[in-house]
Amino acid sequence: EQRAALVPVLALGESLQLRNAVNLPSLQQYTYRKLGFPVPFFLHGRWGLSPFPRKVPLVYVIGKPLLPPQQAAGQHVDAAAVDALHSQYYGALEDLYARYSHLHPAFKGAKLVLTEH
């Protein structure tokens, strides 16, 4: 409605800064699906069990702004336009990953998997 541009951004390596000190995959996958976060979850950062992130290489990639379609003033945004912009955004993320993932040592040869909620 405000015609703000949507900018695709990837932060490669940010997920490596903090880890879960507990490894119970079945339980954590179940609680992640039900609650949106894994339980139990104990942050393992720079100095052991701490919330301070580890020093790891980070690569930030910023894509071109995506403009929403034009619409008349006061006109309600239809779901098809939102879905089209959503698809365009995810496509831009996939393109950024394909072009720049090789710049981070942990992502060479890794595959990007995008899921919808």
Side-chain angles (χ1 to χ4, degrees):
E1 293 175 358
Q2 302 300 318
R3 294 223 5 103
L6 189 58
V7 180
V9 177
L10 283 179
L12 300 172
E14 60 87 21
S15 62
L16 304 173
Q17 292 179 320
L18 292 170
R19 291 285 190 194
N20 190 351
V22 178
N23 186 19
L24 298 170
S26 297
L27 174 63
Q28 291 168 329
Q29 288 172 359
Y30 174 78
T31 58
Y32 183 79
R33 282 193 307 272
K34 297 296 181 184
L35 304 173
F37 59 93
V39 174
F41 189 81
F42 296 104
L43 291 177
H44 183 267
R46 187 178 299 178
W47 298 293
L49 293 176
S50 76
F52 300 105
R54 286 188 258 162
K55 290 184 177 185
V56 296
L58 297 175
V59 175
Y60 293 96
V61 184
I62 302 171
K64 294 179 182 175
L66 306 173
L67 295 174
Q70 290 278 18
Q71 61 187 35
Q75 182 182 9
H76 188 68
V77 178
D78 66 332
V82 173
D83 289 343
L85 188 59
H86 183 254
S87 293
Q88 190 179 2
Y89 179 78
Y90 270 70
L93 287 178
E94 290 171 336
D95 180 57
L96 288 174
Y97 187 83
R99 290 190 307 168
Y100 297 104
S101 63
H102 71 280
L103 297 176
H104 193 286
F107 289 89
K108 289 181 181 169
K111 181 180 176 186
L112 177 66
V113 177
L114 300 174
T115 60
E116 294 187 43
H117 294 281

